[in-house]
């Protein structure tokens, strides 16, 4: 009876969570559409302003000032998607040296890193022959006729800023540059990256992935009934219908898997839904990379380089009361975010599953902001802890040096 009651409560929670996420997605989508419609109607009555906008000359990046590239996180989007909405609060509209690439919102960290390189240098995205063969998708993707910063090299390095999963994308890209993994670009190096700034970055994964449906036993497969299963089905159907108008507005980034109805047909759709093919079957999507096991695998091959500056801004919405970690408050925080923070505070790794890494302790992962654990945001820790320095006051900023993660912790009381 108790087990049945818990099952019913879990199902109710799943339904509410799915409904809230669906409504929020619809709200964002409709807000963007309404904004575009309003702008179009406004332009009809201001033809002079429209002509002025068309005549405005975009100053190309000449390398005199290092550009700042902002990399979005999961479910994010770059400039040109969702109409006039901006993932980074309009930063790209304030300075032409700020670039916001549109990368796959649910594609793997590896695929997004490859896309980021060609977005900057130009050319057709090459996901790598071996990687593409292993995960069953096309080796080549979108073509950038003109790179957004073709001058990019060690003499014209870039400042990178990544939010959430975007931080790992930057680190993987820097490692690829160091390992000279881009065919036709034999002179790449880690020094093409001037600085890396992580904003609540998923540097070591997040236990949120398990709460939303990833299996903690392996960190790759999905539970049969969970929020991520609903997400998976929605993405498959969205990509299968392949409606250009919608995909130009928002794209999950799986075009190189060829999941459209013209190629897959009805039988292909069934295979995708049953988990026999596609990114969710092969594991080549973002969620496995955000589990603790997936992050450990990624971090095992990623370095902190001696000539690059590293900065990290970590956040938390928790505090200790009599030794128990709880949400920091109900005021100034959305009720649903409060619940998510509480869930992550109380989550425990299954006792019958192997720990994700040597030395894992549940209490280390209790502090969080509702999406990521604070311990994950500070600096790379697993499987090997990288050099770091926690910034306590402004005096700590006068001794900045490369090759060390400078960490600033922001907490809400």
């Amino acid at each position: 009876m108790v087990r049945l009651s818990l099952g019913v409560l879990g199902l109710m929670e799943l339904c509410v969570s799915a409904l809230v996420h669906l409504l929020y997605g619809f709200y964002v989508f409709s807000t963007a559409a309404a904004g575009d419609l309003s702008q179009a109607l406004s332009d009809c009555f201001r033809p002079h302003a429209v002509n002025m906008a068309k005549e405005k000359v975009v100053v190309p990046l000449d390398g005199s000032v290092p550009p700042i590239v902002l990399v979005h996180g999961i479910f994010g989007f770059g400039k040109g998607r969702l109409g006039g909405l901006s993932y980074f609060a309009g930063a790209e509209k304030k300075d032409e040296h700020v670039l916001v690439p549109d990368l796959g919102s649910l594609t793997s960290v590896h695929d997004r890193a490859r896309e980021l390189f060609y977005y900057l240098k130009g050319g057709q995205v090459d996901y790598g022959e071996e990687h593409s063969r292993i995960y069953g998708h096309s080796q080549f993707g979108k073509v950038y006729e003109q790179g957004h910063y073709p001058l990019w090299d060690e003499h014209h390095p870039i400042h990178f800023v990544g939010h959430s999963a975007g931080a790992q994308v930057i680190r993987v890209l820097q490692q690829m540059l160091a390992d000279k993994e881009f065919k036709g670009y034999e002179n790449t190096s880690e020094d093409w990256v001037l600085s890396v700034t992580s904003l609540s970055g998923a540097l070591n994964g997040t236990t949120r992935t398990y709460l939303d449906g990833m299996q903690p036993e392996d960190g790759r497969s999905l539970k049969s009934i969970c929020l991520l299963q609903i997400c998976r089905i929605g993405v498959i159907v969205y990509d299968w219908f392949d409606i250009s108008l919608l995909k130009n507005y928002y794209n999950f980034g799986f075009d190189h898997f060829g999941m459209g109805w013209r190629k897959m047909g009805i039988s292909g759709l069934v295979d995708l839904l049953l988990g026999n093919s596609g990114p969710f079957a092969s594991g080549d999507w973002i969620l496995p990379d955000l589990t603790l096991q997936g992050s450990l695998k990624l971090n095992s091959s990623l370095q902190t380089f001696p000539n690059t500056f590293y900065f990290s801004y970590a956040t938390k919405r928790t505090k200790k009361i009599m030794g128990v970690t709880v949400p920091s408050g109900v005021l100034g925080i959305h009720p649903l975010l409060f619940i998510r923070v509480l869930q992550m505070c109380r989550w425990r790794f299954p006792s019958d599953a192997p720990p994700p890494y040597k030395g894992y302790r549940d209490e280390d992962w209790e502090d969080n902001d509702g999406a990521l654990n604070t311990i994950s945001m500070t600096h790379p820790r697993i499987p090997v802890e990288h050099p770091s320095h926690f910034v306590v006051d402004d005096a700590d900023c006068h001794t900045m040096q490369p090759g060390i993660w400078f960490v600033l912790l922001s907490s809400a009381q």
Side-chain angles (χ1 to χ4, degrees):
M1 190 67 180
V2 174
R3 183 176 296 181
L4 178 61
S5 299
L6 290 175
V8 171
L9 287 174
L11 186 60
M12 290 175 61
E13 180 189 7
L14 172 62
C15 292
V16 171
S17 181
L19 179 61
V20 168
H21 282 81
L22 182 63
L23 291 176
Y24 180 72
F26 178 75
Y27 165 75
V28 172
F29 201 90
S30 59
T31 299
D36 283 355
L37 180 60
S38 175
Q39 184 64 47
L41 291 175
S42 177
D43 289 343
C44 289
F45 297 99
R46 294 188 303 160
H48 177 68
V50 174
N51 292 333
M52 289 285 288
K54 289 182 178 179
E55 292 172 5
K56 184 179 178 180
V57 178
V58 177
V59 179
L61 300 182
D62 57 7
S64 59
V65 176
I68 301 172
V69 178
L70 309 180
V71 183
H72 62 74
I74 185 173
F75 287 112
F77 53 93
K79 186 177 181 179
R81 298 288 186 186
L82 286 179
L85 288 188
S86 171
Y87 185 90
F88 287 99
E92 69 274 22
K93 301 174 184 178
K94 298 175 181 177
D95 194 308
E96 65 270 16
H97 294 96
V98 177
L99 303 174
V100 182
D102 181 64
L103 309 176
S105 64
L106 281 180
T107 49
S108 66
V109 169
H110 173 279
D111 289 1
R112 296 179 70 194
R114 306 290 293 194
E115 291 166 3
L116 180 53
F117 177 84
Y118 290 98
Y119 165 89
L120 294 165
K121 291 295 287 185
Q124 185 173 24
V125 176
D126 183 350
Y127 293 105
E129 182 179 357
E130 183 179 5
H131 174 88
S132 303
R133 176 178 54 78
I134 292 173
Y135 291 101
H137 60 68
S138 172
Q139 179 181 344
F140 300 101
K142 182 176 180 178
V143 176
Y144 291 98
E145 299 291 347
Q146 176 65 49
H148 288 74
Y149 192 52
L151 290 176
W152 185 30
D153 58 22
E154 64 180 32
H155 302 296
H156 304 89
I158 292 176
H159 294 289
F160 284 94
V161 179
H163 171 245
S164 186
Q168 284 292 72
V169 172
I170 296 168
R171 296 185 63 223
V172 169
L173 173 61
Q174 186 177 26
Q175 190 65 54
M176 289 178 174
L177 293 171
D179 296 340
K180 306 184 187 307
E181 291 189 17
F182 296 97
K183 190 175 181 179
Y185 295 90
E186 286 73 23
N187 65 334
T188 63
S189 78
E190 64 273 15
D191 293 335
W192 286 30
V193 178
L194 186 57
S195 72
V196 175
T197 300
S198 171
L199 305 178
S200 299
L203 301 174
N204 302 280
T206 172
T207 57
R208 184 80 237 171
T209 56
Y210 307 120
L211 283 160
D212 289 342
M214 297 301 294
Q215 293 278 15
E217 288 78 10
D218 61 9
R220 293 190 62 80
S221 56
L222 285 174
K223 299 174 184 175
S224 300
I225 301 176
C226 63
L227 181 63
L228 290 177
Q229 282 285 10
I230 298 174
C231 171
R232 180 185 75 89
I233 293 171
V235 172
I236 288 173
V237 172
Y238 186 91
D239 266 40
W240 186 81
F241 275 110
D242 197 20
I243 302 173
S244 297
L245 180 63
L246 290 178
K247 294 189 75 173
N248 286 336
Y249 217 59
Y250 186 84
N251 196 333
F252 292 105
F254 292 123
D255 290 346
H256 53 305
F257 278 90
M259 298 197 297
W261 64 270
R262 294 175 183 83
K263 180 178 180 181
M264 300 296 289
I266 296 296
S267 61
L269 174 61
V270 173
D271 272 345
L272 289 168
L273 292 173
L274 291 177
N276 297 327
S277 62
F280 304 104
S282 66
D284 193 27
W285 64 301
I286 190 67
L287 264 297
D289 289 337
L290 296 181
T291 63
L292 272 59
Q293 296 96 328
S295 295
L296 183 146
K297 182 179 179 181
L298 275 178
N299 286 347
S300 296
S301 60
L302 301 181
Q303 303 175 55
T304 292
F305 294 97
N307 296 327
T308 302
F309 289 90
Y310 296 90
F311 308 98
S312 174
Y313 293 85
T315 52
K316 72 172 185 175
R317 286 277 185 174
T318 55
K319 63 182 178 181
K320 293 280 188 183
I321 297 181
M322 299 179 66
V324 179
T325 305
V326 296
S328 54
V330 294
L331 299 178
I333 180 173
H334 194 281
L336 289 173
L337 183 59
F338 177 89
I339 294 173
R340 288 171 65 89
V341 172
L342 181 61
Q343 285 178 322
M344 293 182 68
C345 286
R346 308 319 311 153
W347 190 83
R348 295 294 181 264
F349 210 87
S351 58
D352 57 347
Y357 63 88
K358 184 178 180 180
Y360 170 84
R361 300 189 311 164
D362 286 319
E363 53 267 33
D364 293 336
W365 293 79
E366 290 179 351
D367 285 325
N368 69 89
D369 66 358
L372 294 171
N373 310 84
T374 305
I375 189 176
S376 178
M377 304 180 209
T378 59
H379 59 286
R381 294 173 179 264
I382 58 173
V384 177
E385 187 164 3
H386 291 217
S388 64
H389 178 77
F390 283 74
V391 177
V392 178
D393 54 48
D394 292 341
D396 294 330
C397 298
H398 298 310
T399 57
M400 294 292 184
Q401 62 185 85
I404 295 178
W405 286 85
F406 285 86
V407 184
L408 179 65
L409 177 61
S410 173
S411 59
Q413 302 299 325

